[in-house]
Amino acid sequence: MEVGTLETVVETKENRRRRPGLSGTGSGGSGGNKRGGGGGGNNGGDDSPNNSRDVQETERYKPNKSKILMWFLLVVVIMTFGGLIGAYIVISTNKVLEWQPFVLPVQVWISTLLILLSSFSYEAARRAIEKEDQPKSKKWLMTTTVLGAAFISSQILAWWALVRQGFYVQSNQYAGFFYILTAVHALHVLGGLVALGSIVLRTWNHQTENGESALRLKTMAQVVGWYWHLMGGLWLTLLFLLGFWK
């Protein structure tokens, strides 16, 4: 009887273990597996979209960041020219023997006209980009690029004309400042042309801009416009100093 009873108890426990509905261990294990599997699946499903969303938010274009960087660059440019202009004013006021002003060559006035026209054409291009008018933006951007290149060419012709007249840096401090101020300005305009070229290529290669791509293009056009208009304002300042503050 003891052996039979022991066998009966063992069989009863075995049967209970095999019954999913009656065995707490089987039910718990099954439920635990389901919960664990379901939880793991949910966690995996939640992690994947969340991770991709985090990556998208991290990589999402932020126009304010570009604007802050451009403002920082503009401050650096203004400080650079501010130092040069300050030195010019101090030395011109001292009236040293080597300070020998001369009449500005005609190319300087041509440069003035070119850079003013380029500011107007760039503004027209920026407005066309804001309206997503691709044909007009291409036309005005190319016009601005040509005017900017013509401005630098006129500067080179002005330097050549002064050299032919015998105005050199060593013998004339006024001539030295003319070369330095106009050369530094021309280099900055050249940098603006490089940035302008990136907008031209982007506009030229993409027939339609939408969503984030359109926002990126519009922001780029805005911040490069700040830089370009600053170059025009700085040139007028230099023209006033070199032409009238002698």
Side-chain angles (χ1 to χ4, degrees):
M1 291 296 291
E2 292 179 359
V3 175
T5 304
L6 179 61
E7 291 178 354
T8 304
V9 172
V10 172
E11 289 176 359
T12 303
K13 290 182 178 180
E14 184 69 24
N15 291 334
R16 285 181 179 179
R17 189 164 53 242
R18 291 177 181 177
R19 293 178 186 177
L22 298 177
S23 175
T25 306
S27 176
S30 175
N33 289 338
K34 288 181 180 179
R35 285 193 296 270
N42 290 336
N43 290 337
D46 291 341
D47 289 345
S48 180
N50 288 339
N51 287 338
S52 62
R53 258 190 235 108
D54 291 342
V55 171
Q56 289 177 0
E57 289 178 359
T58 302
E59 295 179 351
R60 186 175 298 166
Y61 179 67
K62 299 177 181 178
N64 289 336
K65 184 177 180 180
S66 299
K67 293 177 181 179
I68 292 172
L69 290 175
M70 178 53 71
W71 277 115
F72 177 77
L73 176 60
L74 295 181
V75 170
V76 172
V77 172
I78 292 173
M79 290 177 64
T80 301
F81 279 93
L84 293 173
I85 291 172
Y88 176 92
I89 293 175
V90 169
I91 295 179
S92 64
T93 304
N94 291 336
K95 298 294 183 181
V96 295
L97 185 61
E98 293 80 9
W99 188 262
Q100 302 173 15
F102 48 77
V103 177
L104 298 179
V106 66
Q107 290 87 351
V108 172
W109 305 103
I110 295 175
S111 298
T112 304
L113 178 61
L114 290 171
I115 201 166
L116 289 177
L117 290 176
S118 71
S119 288
F120 285 111
S121 63
Y122 187 89
E123 186 62 22
R126 188 193 63 79
R127 292 181 180 181
I129 292 174
E130 286 290 334
K131 296 178 181 178
E132 300 183 3
D133 189 340
Q134 295 285 351
K136 283 188 178 180
S137 62
K138 290 179 182 179
K139 179 183 71 175
W140 287 114
L141 285 172
M142 288 303 300
T143 301
T144 306
T145 303
V146 171
L147 289 171
F151 171 83
I152 294 179
S153 300
S154 66
Q155 290 295 93
I156 295 174
L157 292 176
W159 300 332
W160 179 247
L162 291 177
V163 169
R164 292 181 61 185
Q165 295 178 31
F167 295 110
Y168 301 103
V169 176
Q170 297 86 352
S171 59
N172 188 343
Q173 290 186 355
Y174 175 80
F177 269 101
F178 179 89
Y179 288 123
I180 293 173
L181 290 172
T182 55
V184 172
H185 183 270
L187 287 175
H188 283 80
V189 172
L190 185 61
L193 283 176
V194 173
L196 183 60
S198 65
I199 300 178
V200 172
L201 291 176
R202 189 177 184 87
T203 307
W204 205 272
N205 292 333
H206 299 277
Q207 296 298 324
T208 56
E209 296 282 349
N210 49 51
E212 183 177 307
S213 181
L215 177 61
R216 185 185 296 271
L217 180 61
K218 291 176 182 179
T219 305
M220 189 183 301
Q222 184 181 28
V223 297
V224 173
W226 295 343
Y227 182 90
W228 195 262
H229 294 319
L230 177 63
M231 291 299 104
L234 286 174
W235 176 255
L236 293 178
T237 303
L238 297 180
L239 179 67
F240 171 77
L241 289 175
L242 296 170
F244 304 100
W245 191 297
K246 300 181 180 181

